[in-house]
Amino acid sequence: MISECDQNPATVSWLRLCTLQSKVVELVGQLSSGQLLLARELKSLVHLAQLARRDDILENALNRWDLIILELGVERWRREYNSLLQKLKKWKLKRMKNEIPQEEEIRQFLWL
C-alpha cells in the first residue's frame, strides 16, 4: 500500500488500494476481537471505495460498519458514520460521473 501511495495522486491506483484494504478487512474480520478493529478498517474501506468509484464495495462496507455500530453501541462510531454519510452525499456526483479524484476530494477521504 505504501508504494501505491508514494506517488502523484493522479497516478494512484485507487482500485488497487481499495482491493488491498478489502483484504485487510477480510483478515481483521477473522480475529477473535476483530469487530473492535473492523469498524476502523471498514471506514478506511469506505474512503478508498469512494476514491476508487466502487459503489458496490462502498455500500457493502457501510452496511457492515452500521451493523457493528448497532451491535456494539459505540456512540462515537455512530457520529463518525453519520459524518461520513454527509461527506459521501457531497461527493456522490463525482463518484457517479466516475471522475478521477482530485486533491480536494482525496483530502476529504484520507484513510490512514
Side-chain angles (χ1 to χ4, degrees):
M1 288 181 104
I2 292 171
S3 65
E4 195 61 52
C5 297
D6 224 6
Q7 54 186 306
N8 182 321
T11 62
V12 170
S13 173
W14 298 109
L15 182 56
R16 172 104 173 103
L17 287 170
C18 185
T19 301
L20 291 170
Q21 184 62 27
S22 291
K23 290 178 183 178
V24 169
V25 165
E26 183 181 324
L27 292 170
V28 169
Q30 296 173 13
L31 298 173
S32 60
S33 60
Q35 279 197 315
L36 294 174
L37 302 171
L38 198 54
R40 179 104 177 146
E41 298 304 333
L42 285 166
K43 180 180 179 182
S44 294
L45 182 56
V46 169
H47 286 208
L48 288 168
Q50 166 68 26
L51 297 172
R53 308 306 193 222
R54 289 294 307 266
D55 283 328
D56 55 334
I57 296 172
L58 187 145
E59 290 300 324
N60 182 273
L62 281 172
N63 289 335
R64 288 180 66 190
W65 187 19
D66 189 38
L67 287 174
I68 291 170
I69 293 169
L70 287 172
E71 186 175 320
L72 299 180
V74 179
E75 194 55 40
R76 189 188 83 198
W77 291 350
R78 175 60 60 200
R79 287 190 304 272
E80 289 177 11
Y81 180 88
N82 290 334
S83 174
L84 181 53
L85 288 178
Q86 293 305 312
K87 279 200 289 188
L88 289 169
K89 280 183 188 178
K90 176 182 175 185
W91 293 97
K92 183 176 183 172
L93 188 58
K94 298 276 187 191
R95 191 173 71 247
M96 297 282 104
K97 289 183 174 182
N98 209 26
E99 293 181 7
I100 296 172
Q102 300 299 313
E103 185 176 342
E104 182 183 355
E105 182 180 9
I106 294 166
R107 289 183 187 279
Q108 288 293 309
F109 291 99
L110 291 176
W111 64 94
L112 303 175

